[in-house]
Amino acid sequence: IGHGIGGFQARYMDAQADYFKAHPGSPYVMLADNTQAPFNEYLGLLTEFGFVGGIVLLVGVVLLLQAWRKHPYGSSRVAMLCLLSIAVFSLFSYPFRYVHTWMLCGISIVVLLFNAYPPALFVCRVISLAATLCLVGAACLSIHRMRTEMRWCEVATCSLGGMTDEMLSAYNKLYGELGRNPYFLYNYAAELNVSGHYGEQAKRYLEQASYMCPNRFVPLYELYKIYELQNDTVAMCRMAEVILRKPIKVESSEVHRIVAEMKRYKQGMKSAF
């Protein structure tokens, strides 16, 4: 039955970390990145909804093909070509992350079904009523979400104004509704860090991040800084060696600054002995 909506985004990076823990010398190290979606909608469907979702999709495709065979000309032909182009594109990307793809797909399906099975006037009215109720419900949910995010904006502004400690309870309340929003989670974690609540963060998350994308320098550097605070010179030396041996995937001033600092540390350690 899959991992549910958002299951790929929630679980993939941990799976990638597990892979690189088991294969530290993998040639894919330099290709690793923060992957939010598979570059294939069908794999995404199977990951989130399992074989049940795959069977539902297959049944839907068969029904649409039958509808097209009943009325294969005119607007049905255009609708089928539209669906076919989306189906091919879905093999290599994630078009359903964009609203217009859902709109084109929905309109094409409606055209195919209405041409193949012309509904009675009563059925049209029922469909129109159902569509109206869905739109009203979607509008209500959107308004509620907007109000929640406006509240988040107010809390974040107050926190930036120096009221971080006072705003933590408000952040905790917002967590119930925005807990799946990665930008909110990042903002909440940053505010916990500013207020000194280090218990809500841990060294193991930096270690996990370093396995998620082994070509990144910042997680390793932050681990080095933690060992520095702990006066753990053995771990500092080990981390400096790892950073200096790491090939650079993307040249940047931040990476060069980290590498230069590690070189200075190693030279200082050599001169000390």
Side-chain angles (χ1 to χ4, degrees):
I1 60 173
H3 297 291
I5 297 174
F8 182 92
Q9 185 176 1
R11 295 173 178 266
Y12 175 77
M13 292 305 295
D14 286 327
Q16 182 165 287
D18 292 339
Y19 176 84
F20 286 121
K21 284 178 186 176
H23 305 85
S26 170
Y28 299 116
V29 164
M30 295 300 286
L31 297 175
D33 206 344
N34 183 17
T35 305
Q36 302 294 316
F39 293 92
N40 184 305
E41 289 286 9
Y42 306 105
L43 291 179
L45 177 77
L46 291 172
T47 301
E48 297 190 348
F49 302 104
F51 290 111
V52 174
I55 291 171
V56 171
L57 175 65
L58 186 61
V59 170
V61 169
V62 171
L63 293 176
L64 289 176
L65 286 173
Q66 289 179 345
W68 177 68
R69 290 181 64 183
K70 281 181 172 290
H71 191 281
Y73 43 84
S75 57
S76 292
R77 182 172 181 272
V78 176
M80 180 54 72
L81 288 174
C82 180
L83 290 175
L84 182 61
S85 65
I86 293 173
V88 173
F89 190 34
S90 295
L91 288 167
F92 312 104
S93 187
Y94 36 82
F96 283 96
R97 282 200 143 198
Y98 304 100
V99 176
H100 67 269
T101 305
W102 287 95
M103 293 175 62
L104 289 170
C105 193
I107 292 170
S108 299
I109 290 173
V110 169
V111 168
L112 280 173
L113 294 178
F114 272 49
N115 286 342
Y117 312 102
L121 180 60
F122 173 75
V123 175
C124 287
R125 289 176 177 174
V126 171
I127 293 174
S128 299
L129 178 61
T132 301
L133 292 174
C134 289
L135 287 173
V136 170
C140 291
L141 289 174
S142 297
I143 292 171
H144 177 70
R145 181 59 178 243
M146 288 170 60
R147 293 180 63 183
T148 301
E149 295 204 1
M150 289 170 66
R151 175 59 179 157
W152 172 25
C153 181
E154 293 172 0
V155 171
T157 302
C158 292
S159 184
L160 286 173
M163 301 173 60
T164 300
D165 291 334
E166 292 85 343
M167 292 296 106
L168 289 182
S169 60
Y171 269 108
N172 191 44
K173 290 178 182 178
L174 288 169
Y175 180 81
E177 295 189 53
L178 298 174
R180 296 177 67 87
N181 184 325
Y183 302 107
F184 172 80
L185 292 175
Y186 180 86
N187 179 220
Y188 190 11
E191 298 304 328
L192 288 169
N193 182 63
V194 169
S195 64
H197 287 67
Y198 303 112
E200 284 84 346
Q201 303 174 58
K203 184 174 65 175
R204 64 188 181 92
Y205 288 112
L206 285 170
E207 293 173 346
Q208 182 75 345
S210 70
Y211 283 115
M212 285 179 174
C213 292
N215 51 57
R216 300 288 175 88
F217 282 76
V218 173
L220 297 175
Y221 177 71
E222 293 298 334
L223 280 170
Y224 167 85
K225 300 299 287 185
I226 289 176
Y227 294 138
E228 185 179 30
L229 290 172
Q230 296 173 342
N231 294 318
D232 189 344
T233 55
V234 174
M236 289 171 67
C237 288
R238 186 182 73 249
M239 199 54 58
E241 285 288 346
V242 171
I243 291 173
L244 291 174
R245 288 199 305 267
K246 183 176 290 297
I248 299 176
K249 178 180 179 180
V250 179
E251 300 283 345
S252 70
S253 58
E254 178 73 3
V255 169
H256 288 296
R257 183 189 66 79
I258 291 172
V259 171
E261 184 176 337
M262 295 302 101
K263 286 181 178 178
R264 288 195 299 270
Y265 172 73
K266 292 292 291 183
Q267 289 171 356
M269 291 296 293
K270 287 180 181 178
S271 61
F273 289 103

